[in-house]
Amino acid sequence: MRASVPFGNHMPAVLRRAFVAAAFAWAVLLVAVPFIASRSHATSLGTVIIVAVYGIGSFVCHQLPERSWRLWTAQMPVCARCAGIYLGAAIAAVTAGARGFQPSVNGAVAARSPERLALHFGRGGEASRTEREAFGRAGARVLLALAALPSLATLVYEWTSGIAPSNGVRFAAGIPIGIVVAWLVVSAAKNQVN
């Protein structure tokens, strides 16, 4: 007798949709909450949302005032770099969801087919699943490292010069990380085996 699995074979699609919705909702909340907080009288629900979003923000970000933008009259729940990361993640997730895009970590960087991957590994035949997975993990690491380079450059600049980059620069440096991480999450949901 076969055990029943919640959502059956639809779990990857459910996970992708949930991630897309969460990434989009978080990006919207990062902008909406300062607006709600800047109003003179927030409703009870508005107060709960404000406290929750700023509380979550405190777990994922330092929330330093000089590194955060102010929208309306309230500081954003995360710094400029984190705002860039979350905007990048929302853009990538929504784009993936809107187009039905199903990226694959396997062969993400250099190979588009198992045959090209096999050639990469020096064999003329078909690549084994282990080889595809190893190449996929390595490709994911390379993409993530490349996406982190702009943020790393801003940190090195600040540490060596003593001058903090502007919030706009920090925001822009965070966007690639968000895009790549979201792409990898959507890819992992696609490749999940139930």
Side-chain angles (χ1 to χ4, degrees), residues 12 20 38 46 51 61-62 69-70 78 82 92 98 112 120 136 145 150-151 155-156 161 175 182:
V20 168
S38 70
V51 170
C61 180
H62 53 71
W69 278 320
R70 296 185 72 77
V78 295
C82 289
R112 299 284 180 215
H120 173 77
S151 287
L155 289 172
V156 169
S161 71
I175 291 173

Side-chain angles (χ1 to χ4, degrees), residues 9-166:
N9 290 333
H10 300 290
M11 184 55 92
V14 170
L15 291 173
R16 279 193 307 275
R17 284 189 210 110
F19 178 75
V20 168
F24 179 75
W26 182 246
V28 168
L29 283 170
L30 292 179
V31 175
V33 164
F35 176 76
I36 296 168
S38 70
R39 302 297 106 201
S40 57
H41 301 292
T43 65
S44 297
L45 176 61
T47 302
V48 168
I49 291 170
I50 291 167
V51 170
V53 171
Y54 279 98
I56 292 168
S58 73
F59 285 114
V60 298
C61 180
H62 53 71
Q63 295 179 324
L64 295 174
E66 66 275 9
R67 295 183 183 241
S68 303
W69 278 320
R70 296 185 72 77
L71 301 179
W72 297 278
T73 59
Q75 178 181 320
M76 286 186 74
V78 295
C79 72
R81 185 183 326 274
C82 289
I85 291 170
Y86 294 124
L87 176 67
I91 290 169
V94 169
T95 301
R99 293 187 176 179
F101 179 61
Q102 296 181 357
S104 173
V105 172
N106 297 333
V109 176
R112 299 284 180 215
S113 70
E115 293 74 26
R116 287 179 64 189
L117 182 59
L119 289 172
H120 173 77
F121 281 99
R123 294 196 356 233
E126 180 122 352
S128 71
R129 180 177 181 182
T130 304
E131 289 172 329
R132 285 193 306 272
E133 289 173 357
F135 185 78
R137 285 189 299 272
R141 287 184 191 113
V142 167
L143 286 174
L144 195 51
L146 290 173
L149 283 178
S151 287
L152 181 61
T154 64
L155 289 172
V156 169
Y157 174 77
E158 181 176 355
W159 293 340
T160 57
S161 71
I163 301 168
S166 71

